Amino acid sequence: MNPRLALATAARVLNQVRHDPRTVALLLVVPSLLIGLMAWIFTNTKTFDIVGPALLGLFPFIVMFLITSITTLRERRSGTLERLMTMPLGKFDFLVGYTLAFGLLAILQSLIAVAYAVWVCGLAVSGSAWLLILVALVNAILGTTLGLFASAFATTEFQVIQFMPALVFPQILLGGIFVPRAQMPDVLRSISDWLPLSHSIDALQKVISRSDASGEVLRELGIVALWAVGLVVLGSITLRRRTP
Amino acid sequence: MNSSPAVEIANLRVHRGKLDVLRDLTLAVPRGQVVGLLGPSGSGKSTLMRSIVGAQKVAAGTITVFGVPAGAPALRKSIGYVTQAPSVYDDLTVTQNLRYFAQVIGAPRPDIQRVIHEVELEPQARQLAGDLSGGQRNRVSLAVALLGSPELLVLDEPTVGLDPVLRRDLWALFASLAARGVSLLVSSHVMDEARRCDRILLLHQGRLLADETPAGLLTLTGADDPDDAFLALVSGASA
């Protein structure tokens, strides 16, 4: 891997995003609006304290999954990827470049969403706010890497969109937002133990509800990060210099 | 001075899906010449070009470029490749596109201005590639291939959608590149462009029909223009 080329790729991707201000605005504002709506719906109940933190993890994950899988698919279809693959650009330069660029966007998105949830919606955070942002960032990177991987199996934008219910919704359902994971049937419980999103939701709930859980949070994040690394490696296998 | 051909292909076979796109192709692209790859659409021109740049899975045969197997990492800096569809980023300006690709191949910064000048896109340098006309976008794509100092240019229909003046200018650019020692393989389905090449490879249904100079092609077939020469060869091949 060549860090200079990864950075050049990240800068190029950010430059592309910059030419699309509407996407940037939606990216940064929509999560906060939805969190605000959620807080409003659950006024005078305890529910927002449980759902609110999970949302902070879900948004970066879902949004980054979508934009990464669609932009990489566009790159595959427009011929720019084929061109890059005939040039001295490594697969990891490409993947790390994308992860860096969208990771940076995710940090901005998370900062705004966390600030809005805490200061406007009154979400009480017992643990460190920095840890909360770190969790959101790792979630975003997970979404980016899953999107990179998924885009290899789609040939149209329609298919990419369908991957969201297929790959993302089960993780949300099994992640412990609707029913605490401890109360699920054994089979589902053990499946959810293996899914990355379960661990990031656990991490978020621990940061929010306890001030002494930093060690546990980092352990959960470690599992999510392992998933992200695994997906980048799988993604690099799907990037081929030679195609049929 | 190495006098071996730029590209040497022996018994190349390529399948795409159930189709035999290239069938037992053997040919050479000499150094420092403009070689035209001509043939009707669907004859396998693009597949042959993808094979030479190492983007195509091949079923059998060998391809060497400057003595190295096609697709070898050592070749990635020395081949400029233009795909048929303009492969540039529509949401970047012309200059931003070139800056990124220049970084990837390690071309010096002044190269960006040079190639913009060579494809005559100075007035559009700050426009988004997506806002340009089809022919202008093609030229951005061509400019990317000219970055650095490629020794081999593989250009898939670079003159499609260009007006006669620009076409003439580009063919003049190709000739001057060849004079500098660059080897060019330029595909076209316009037989008329054959006249501007040093050598012509005529492809038909995945087979090589002719490997001639433009004049040689006319003598061989007794035709007056490349169009007739091609028709004569095709009817000969199917008879």
Side-chain angles (χ1 to χ4, degrees):
Chain A
M1 194 191 117
N2 181 339
R4 195 182 54 80
L5 292 184
L7 283 176
T9 304
R12 185 263 295 173
V13 173
L14 287 173
N15 236 331
Q16 285 177 280
V17 175
R18 208 165 51 87
H19 284 118
D20 185 359
R22 196 177 303 169
T23 296
V24 177
L26 287 170
L27 209 62
L28 298 182
V29 174
V30 170
S32 300
L33 289 180
L34 288 175
I35 288 171
L37 181 63
M38 212 60 130
W40 198 6
I41 292 174
F42 294 118
T43 322
N44 301 326
T45 70
K46 284 268 168 209
T47 315
F48 183 65
D49 291 333
I50 301 163
V51 179
L55 284 183
L56 289 175
L58 282 185
F59 283 124
F61 175 68
I62 293 176
V63 171
M64 291 305 149
F65 171 80
L66 272 181
I67 60 172
T68 317
S69 50
I70 290 179
T71 40
T72 354
L73 180 71
R74 266 169 41 184
E75 187 123 33
R76 285 178 202 269
R77 276 160 54 88
S78 69
T80 45
L81 185 64
E82 177 169 315
R83 167 168 248 167
L84 286 174
M85 290 289 101
T86 66
M87 291 180 168
L89 181 81
K91 297 172 181 179
F92 279 100
D93 304 337
F94 180 85
L95 289 169
V96 172
Y98 262 96
T99 312
L100 282 177
F102 288 140
L104 194 70
L105 278 179
I107 292 182
L108 276 181
Q109 186 192 50
S110 302
L111 282 174
I112 295 173
V114 169
Y116 190 85
V118 172
W119 286 322
V120 181
C121 306
L123 184 72
V125 181
S126 314
S128 146
W130 291 111
L131 203 53
L132 185 61
I133 291 165
L134 181 69
V135 180
L137 173 66
V138 174
N139 274 334
I141 292 177
L142 178 72
T144 302
T145 54
L146 186 63
L148 283 168
F149 177 62
S151 76
F153 300 97
T155 48
T156 66
E157 276 86 350
F158 288 136
Q159 290 174 4
V160 165
I161 303 286
Q162 296 311 318
F163 276 133
M164 204 177 89
L167 295 177
V168 176
F169 283 13
Q171 294 200 56
I172 298 177
L173 292 175
L174 294 172
I177 304 176
F178 298 102
V179 176
R181 295 205 297 127
Q183 293 169 22
M184 287 179 190
D186 287 346
V187 178
L188 295 183
R189 168 77 214 255
S190 41
I191 293 175
S192 86
D193 282 344
W194 284 96
L195 297 176
L197 204 61
S198 312
H199 294 282
S200 50
I201 293 175
D202 278 1
L204 281 164
Q205 283 171 343
K206 280 174 184 155
V207 180
I208 305 275
S209 59
R210 291 161 51 188
S211 58
D212 58 347
S214 300
E216 288 170 52
V217 172
L218 289 177
R219 199 183 64 86
E220 303 280 7
L221 276 189
I223 298 174
V224 181
L226 272 179
W227 261 95
V229 172
L231 286 166
V232 168
V233 172
L234 283 177
S236 77
I237 297 173
T238 69
L239 280 184
R240 295 186 183 278
R241 290 198 190 262
R242 276 183 197 278
T243 50
Chain B
M1 177 81 194
N2 194 336
S3 61
S4 72
V7 182
E8 264 186 303
I9 295 176
N11 308 105
L12 178 66
R13 282 170 196 275
V14 176
H15 310 308
R16 295 188 87 171
K18 286 182 179 167
L19 231 67
D20 291 343
V21 185
L22 298 178
R23 315 161 182 203
D24 203 22
L25 207 60
T26 299
L27 58 86
V29 176
R31 287 188 192 229
Q33 290 193 6
V34 183
V35 176
L37 180 60
L38 291 126
S41 59
S43 57
K45 301 189 296 291
S46 296
T47 305
L48 175 58
M49 296 187 133
R50 295 185 73 236
S51 308
I52 292 173
V53 300
Q56 174 69 50
K57 270 198 186 125
V58 304
T62 57
I63 312 170
T64 49
V65 180
F66 301 123
V68 195
L75 292 171
R76 289 186 192 136
K77 276 190 181 202
S78 43
I79 301 182
Y81 171 43
V82 175
T83 53
Q84 204 160 11
S87 37
V88 292
Y89 298 101
D90 282 351
D91 40 10
L92 291 182
T93 67
V94 173
T95 311
Q96 286 168 343
N97 264 296
L98 290 168
R99 193 179 300 144
Y100 174 60
F101 286 112
Q103 284 172 319
V104 171
I105 62 169
R109 273 191 160 238
D111 252 27
I112 298 170
Q113 285 314 311
R114 173 181 63 83
V115 297
I116 289 179
H117 174 73
E118 280 174 341
V119 299
E120 303 181 35
L121 277 177
E122 279 110 337
Q124 286 81 26
R126 291 168 155 276
Q127 284 182 31
L128 290 182
D131 290 343
L132 301 178
S133 75
Q136 289 170 333
R137 250 202 325 267
N138 267 336
R139 277 184 282 153
V140 183
S141 195
L142 175 61
V144 173
L146 298 175
L147 286 167
S149 36
E151 294 169 63
L152 171 68
L153 285 172
V154 178
L155 313 176
D156 202 351
E157 311 228 346
T159 57
V160 164
L162 301 184
D163 62 78
V165 179
L166 266 169
R167 279 227 304 267
R168 184 201 58 198
D169 292 353
L170 279 185
W171 280 102
L173 173 66
F174 298 160
S176 75
L177 286 166
R180 269 192 258 156
V182 179
S183 314
L184 293 96
L185 182 65
V186 185
S187 80
S188 172
H189 65 264
V190 188
M191 298 300 150
D192 191 41
E193 294 193 321
R195 285 183 296 120
R196 306 178 189 270
C197 304
D198 297 313
R199 216 174 166 78
I200 296 168
L201 300 170
L202 209 53
L203 215 56
H204 179 62
Q205 293 180 349
R207 290 198 176 87
L208 194 64
L209 274 192
D211 179 358
E212 281 287 341
T213 59
L217 190 65
L218 297 182
T219 324
L220 184 76
T221 55
D224 296 327
D225 63 67
D227 258 337
D228 289 342
F230 176 70
L231 289 172
L233 282 168
V234 169
S235 56
S238 16

